[in-house]
Amino acid sequence: MDSIQLTRQEFEKYQKLILKLCGISVPDTKITLLSNRVRRRLRATNIESFQSYFDFLTSSSGKTELDGFLSAITTNETSFFRTQKHFDWLSTEFVDLQIARSKEVGSRRSIRIWSAACSTGEEPYSIALCLAENQHKLTSWKLEILGTDISEQALSQARAGLFATQTMDDIPLKLRTQYFQHDTAANAWKVKPALSEIVKFKRHNLMQPITEPAFDCIFIRNVLIYFNRASKETVIENLVKALAPRGFLVVGPSEGIFDMLGMLTKRSTFLYQKE
């Protein structure tokens, strides 16, 4: 079974299914990669063929397998403080701007940030670290960070807040010891309540509007590169609707969406603002 690949016809069926489910466009050159990833689910479900697994996925009884399938075929590459300049901006200019706005008549003393496609949680916890380090400026503020992903498996890891020691290299030792508890037996670091209490996670498909109060900032990085243009346009529309007035969208360098952001004001190469 390990040496068997999807036939071209089977591959095209899976391509269409993945696009329909989550907006991801699998290139024609990725037949081997997709074969390998689907094969994991064949083993997990004890289903013998790609066609039988496809039939199961698209049946009413296969709904419970969709999360396992999407977890297997999506890429969950992430790290703490990935693209440091984004977090430098968040820690300084963004926080100071929110404080300045709070002095306006009727303005609230709260910050809501959405980490879209957050994978196993490194990005939302990085955001939480930025806000936690500004607590001296944000005393009595309500801080809320939402991390979403389509993979419940990734979200389970994020909620656990337990990270292997080798993944912690990008966190300065001072922050690591202040905001994480070292688990010697597991050779891992556990997020302390100072961070976990301001971060929540939920499953969300970017192709659908999110049912949440508006956000002051949304991070969408290193995910839309896998979407085709029509899917990207749908996601962008959903994200812009979720932004509060004067809210910011932080984007990755390779998303291929810069010509789709005309409704926002460009503030830098990675930063767009809703007027």
Side-chain angles (χ1 to χ4, degrees):
M1 180 66 191
D2 287 351
S3 61
I4 299 174
Q5 283 202 155
L6 291 159
T7 65
R8 176 54 60 176
Q9 184 178 24
E10 289 170 337
F11 178 67
E12 289 174 356
K13 287 182 180 180
Y14 277 99
Q15 278 181 308
K16 292 176 182 177
L17 177 63
I18 293 166
L19 184 63
K20 178 182 177 181
L21 289 174
C22 61
I24 293 176
S25 179
V26 181
D28 291 341
T29 56
K30 299 296 184 181
I31 188 169
T32 299
L33 176 65
L34 186 60
S35 297
N36 292 339
R37 293 188 176 186
V38 175
R39 197 180 294 116
R40 298 175 195 169
R41 299 311 303 165
L42 266 63
R43 296 192 194 100
T45 56
N46 292 315
I47 294 176
E48 294 185 355
S49 71
F50 291 121
Q51 183 59 54
S52 296
Y53 181 68
F54 182 87
D55 292 341
F56 174 58
L57 272 180
T58 53
S59 69
S60 57
S61 57
K63 290 181 180 179
T64 56
E65 170 58 17
L66 287 176
D67 184 68
F69 171 65
L70 291 173
S71 294
I73 61 94
T74 50
T75 299
N76 291 314
E77 181 183 351
T78 186
S79 62
F80 286 101
F81 293 108
R82 189 176 184 181
T83 313
Q84 182 66 48
K85 64 181 179 181
H86 297 175
F87 297 99
D88 291 341
W89 166 81
L90 185 75
S91 295
T92 55
E93 294 178 42
F94 174 77
V95 168
D96 290 344
L97 183 57
Q98 302 310 303
I99 292 171
R101 286 182 186 167
S102 72
K103 298 174 183 177
E104 298 175 1
V105 176
S107 293
R108 52 192 169 80
R109 291 167 60 85
S110 66
I111 294 176
R112 283 179 49 78
I113 301 177
W114 177 15
S115 170
C118 71
S119 186
T120 48
E122 284 86 342
E123 181 176 272
Y125 286 126
S126 296
I127 294 169
L129 281 166
C130 292
L131 297 186
E133 281 295 278
N134 275 285
Q135 279 286 11
H136 61 290
K137 298 180 181 180
L138 300 170
T139 304
S140 78
W141 279 59
K142 184 178 182 180
L143 307 177
E144 298 175 284
I145 300 165
L146 175 66
T148 68
D149 203 89
I150 200 168
S151 169
E152 190 59 51
Q153 179 178 312
L155 291 173
S156 294
Q157 291 181 247
R159 291 187 187 101
L162 191 65
F163 297 94
T165 295
Q166 59 266 30
T167 70
M168 303 289 288
D169 291 343
D170 292 320
I171 301 179
L173 183 59
K174 174 181 175 293
L175 297 184
R176 196 183 313 174
T177 54
Q178 183 175 354
Y179 295 106
F180 295 80
Q181 178 68 45
H182 187 234
D183 185 330
T184 305
N187 192 28
W189 294 77
K190 173 75 173 178
V191 175
K192 290 183 179 180
L195 295 188
S196 61
E197 287 176 357
I198 63 173
V199 182
K200 70 174 183 177
F201 297 93
K202 80 173 187 178
R203 188 176 185 275
H204 175 68
N205 187 334
L206 292 173
M207 294 293 289
Q208 303 298 324
I210 193 165
T211 53
E212 287 278 339
F215 296 93
D216 301 297
C217 184
I218 298 175
F219 277 62
I220 179 76
R221 308 183 308 153
N222 310 303
V223 60
L224 293 180
I225 187 174
Y226 302 109
F227 288 54
N228 67 13
R229 186 171 183 86
S231 297
K232 289 177 181 180
E233 289 173 346
T234 298
V235 173
I236 292 300
E237 181 181 355
N238 292 335
L239 294 174
V240 172
K241 286 180 180 177
L243 270 179
R246 297 191 288 178
F248 293 96
L249 184 68
V250 179
V251 302
S254 304
E255 307 297 339
I257 59 173
F258 301 112
D259 64 334
M260 305 179 195
L261 299 174
M263 73 293 289
L264 304 177
T265 300
K266 184 177 181 179
R267 299 300 184 192
S268 73
T269 55
F270 66 87
L271 189 63
Y272 293 78
Q273 186 176 23
K274 184 176 183 178
E275 298 295 345

